[in-house]
Amino acid sequence: MIWKQKWRVEVEAFFGGFSFSGPAALLAGRLLLRLRAKEVQDFGSPEVSAAAKELQEAIDSGKHPCGIAAPQFGRRLRIIAFGEPEDEIKKLTAAARWNQGRRASLAKVLVNPVLKRPTGVAFFFERSAAVPKYEGVVGRALQVEVEAFDVNGNPVKFVAENWQARQLQHAVDVLDGILYVDRMERQSFRREAVEDELATSVPYGSKVEIGKPITKEYARILRPPAGPPKLDLKKRETSASRLKARSSKR
């Protein structure tokens, strides 16, 4: 079908040898990635169904180990997905699986997610399709309580730990216009293929156990990152209209 051909993309150039048929993930710099996504009101809308399908397929592809959010595919909706295929987990070393708390899990889509009561702290590398072929160390809570809805509008509540908690925090950040590069330890930013030792100033690994409060030393991981001022799309559109009107009068 023609419409399918229009959104079929080859992202091999970005991800080194893998082809994923689906919508292209937006790259850092696109305005939509800096806007707060809108809460879903109509769970039966075609856009919600399409977004859920895109996100689930993206997770099943195994190319989004830190989760994925609807704005990354051009949809300003508060919908995310997380999970990791077994084939991708098998590629990790036993040490990585143990230290990071990685385990295979089916793709799960959440709508209007809210994360509460974070405990524990760990610093590990993250990456994103928005910044292809790069990664950076990010501090995240090791445990969060999740309140959300499934794609049919049914309420969902559960506790996520270890890597799944990281996936959720990473994806929910995107819903609020925050990318992992806004939170990462600056000196850790590198190409994925680089495996040099980290600078001693970069924290890495588990720092506060699950169930224990996040200490003052690591409280920064919960604060909104310093960055550009919040963007208001309506104000931008209004300003653009005014400038256009002024130009037409000249």
Side-chain angles (χ1 to χ4, degrees), residues 87-161:
D87 288 345
E88 296 303 313
I89 296 297
K90 288 180 179 178
K91 295 177 183 178
L92 301 173
T93 65
R97 290 196 295 269
W98 173 261
N99 293 333
Q100 299 173 17
R102 308 272 290 266
R103 59 183 177 82
S105 59
L106 297 175
K108 188 169 185 177
V109 177
L110 299 178
V111 182
N112 298 341
V114 176
L115 307 183
K116 299 180 177 181
R117 300 180 181 83
T119 67
V121 177
F123 289 80
F124 290 114
F125 277 103
E126 293 186 10
R127 61 182 187 264
S128 169
V131 190
K133 286 195 173 182
Y134 284 87
E135 63 183 6
V137 173
V138 182
R140 302 283 189 186
L142 278 169
Q143 182 187 72
V144 290
E145 292 185 12
V146 186
E147 293 183 5
F149 297 89
D150 64 19
V151 292
N152 297 314
N154 301 309
V156 176
K157 287 186 179 182
F158 62 97
V159 175
E161 296 181 349

Side-chain angles (χ1 to χ4, degrees), residues 25-207:
L26 299 185
L27 298 179
R30 294 296 297 272
L31 176 62
L32 187 59
L33 293 178
R34 291 304 187 180
L35 298 175
R36 188 178 190 278
K38 298 178 180 178
E39 289 196 359
V40 171
Q41 303 294 333
D42 182 4
F43 287 85
S45 73
E47 186 177 16
V48 170
S49 298
K53 184 174 184 294
E54 290 170 355
L55 296 175
Q56 183 163 347
E57 290 178 349
I59 292 296
D60 288 340
S61 75
K63 302 304 174 182
H64 302 278
C66 294
I68 192 78
Q72 292 179 261
F73 290 148
R75 299 182 187 276
R76 196 180 174 188
L77 297 170
R78 297 189 75 79
I79 307 176
I80 66 171
F82 68 102
E84 281 194 280
E86 186 173 355
D87 288 345
E88 296 303 313
I89 296 297
K90 288 180 179 178
K91 295 177 183 178
L92 301 173
T93 65
R97 290 196 295 269
W98 173 261
N99 293 333
Q100 299 173 17
R102 308 272 290 266
R103 59 183 177 82
S105 59
L106 297 175
K108 188 169 185 177
V109 177
L110 299 178
V111 182
N112 298 341
V114 176
L115 307 183
K116 299 180 177 181
R117 300 180 181 83
T119 67
V121 177
F123 289 80
F124 290 114
F125 277 103
E126 293 186 10
R127 61 182 187 264
S128 169
V131 190
K133 286 195 173 182
Y134 284 87
E135 63 183 6
V137 173
V138 182
R140 302 283 189 186
L142 278 169
Q143 182 187 72
V144 290
E145 292 185 12
V146 186
E147 293 183 5
F149 297 89
D150 64 19
V151 292
N152 297 314
N154 301 309
V156 176
K157 287 186 179 182
F158 62 97
V159 175
E161 296 181 349
N162 297 311
W163 197 261
Q164 285 194 347
R166 178 173 295 270
Q167 287 185 310
L168 289 162
Q169 291 167 86
H170 178 107
V172 169
D173 264 355
V174 175
L175 300 183
D176 293 328
I178 299 169
L179 300 178
Y180 85 88
V181 291
D182 300 321
R183 292 192 184 277
M184 72 179 180
E185 301 297 312
R186 303 298 183 197
Q187 293 183 336
S188 70
F189 193 49
R190 69 185 191 184
R191 295 278 289 189
E192 287 181 7
V194 175
E195 296 184 357
D196 290 355
E197 291 185 8
L198 291 169
T200 56
S201 60
V202 177
Y204 193 79
S206 180
K207 299 299 181 181

